Amino acid sequence: MNIDGRGGHDGRQAVWAVVDTGIGPLLLVATAQGLVNVVFHATDEVRDQALGRLASRLGTEPVEAPGSPLLAESIRQVAAYFAGERRDFDLPLDWSLSSGFNREVLRALESGVRYGAVVGYGDLAGRVGQPGAAQAVGVAMGSNPLPVVVPCHRVVESDGGIGGFGGGLETKRKLLALEGVLPEPLF
C-alpha cells in the first residue's frame, strides 16, 4: 500500500492524522469522499483500536498521512475552531459509517444546529419527523462517527441537563464552553 492509502479491495483510500486540540488529541480520518471519522482521546491505544475497526468497515487499512491533501482542510478547520477563529465547518463529509435514522438525525444536526446553540433530544427527533424518538436520537448521537464537526455536543436534555456524551462529560462541557453555551470551568 502506498502513502496515500490506496489498497482496499474497491480501491478506496483512507488517510489519518492525530491533531492536538483544547480537548486532547483527535484522530481525523478522511477518504476521497471527505472526512469519515473523528475520534476523541486519541492516545496510541485508542487510535490503534479505532483504526482497526475502520479498516474492516472501510475495506482498506487507513494510512498515517498528516500531509495528505485529503486531510489538509480538515486539520486547518479543526485548528481554527479550537483557536476560536471558526464557528462552522465547511468540509466534505463521507457519511458511509452512518445509515438510516442515525444518518438522518446527524445530517439534521449538522445542518440545523449552529455554533453557540443547543437542541433537546426530543426537539431534534421532531426535526426529522419522529417526535417520540428522543431515546433513538440519543443512540444516534452515541454512534456519531464525526463528533465536533457534526456537533453532537450541542444536543442536551430538555430539562436543562447536559445529557450524555461519547467523549465524556468533561469534553462536552469544554466544547459547550468554547462555544459560549456554558461558562468556562474555574479549575
Side-chain angles (χ1 to χ4, degrees):
M1 189 177 320
N2 65 23
I3 191 65
D4 58 351
R6 290 190 184 99
H9 65 275
D10 60 359
R12 187 175 178 114
Q13 57 181 312
V15 293
W16 65 269
V18 173
V19 297
D20 290 320
T21 71
I23 57 168
L26 289 180
L27 171 65
L28 304 179
V29 184
T31 67
Q33 289 72 41
L35 188 66
V36 71
N37 202 203
V38 177
V39 178
F40 291 113
H41 315 299
T43 60
D44 290 348
E45 182 179 347
V46 168
R47 179 202 67 213
D48 291 347
Q49 288 174 355
L51 291 171
R53 285 189 304 273
L54 273 172
S56 65
R57 301 240 358 237
L58 297 175
T60 187
E61 181 91 20
V63 174
E64 182 175 16
S68 169
L70 297 178
L71 283 168
E73 188 60 16
S74 294
I75 291 170
R76 190 186 72 70
Q77 288 189 28
V78 165
Y81 171 82
F82 282 101
E85 299 165 356
R86 180 172 203 89
R87 292 178 165 227
D88 300 305
F89 292 97
D90 183 22
L91 296 169
L93 301 177
D94 177 341
W95 291 98
S96 64
L97 298 179
S98 185
S99 62
F101 178 79
N102 289 358
R103 183 187 293 187
E104 184 179 0
V105 169
L106 292 170
R107 289 183 83 118
L109 172 65
E110 187 262 337
S111 66
V113 182
R114 294 286 158 227
Y115 185 98
V118 294
V119 65
Y121 292 93
D123 293 336
L124 190 53
R127 290 184 187 194
V128 296
Q130 300 289 327
Q135 286 185 317
V137 167
V139 171
M141 295 305 102
S143 73
N144 182 4
L146 295 160
V148 180
V149 175
V150 176
C152 52
H153 60 277
R154 297 180 189 154
V155 183
V156 298
E157 295 175 347
S158 60
D159 65 3
I162 195 169
F165 194 62
L169 293 182
E170 180 181 341
T171 300
K172 186 171 187 171
R173 284 186 189 97
K174 285 180 179 179
L175 289 166
L176 291 172
L178 174 70
E179 295 187 8
V181 175
L182 292 176
E184 288 287 344
L186 296 176
F187 47 89

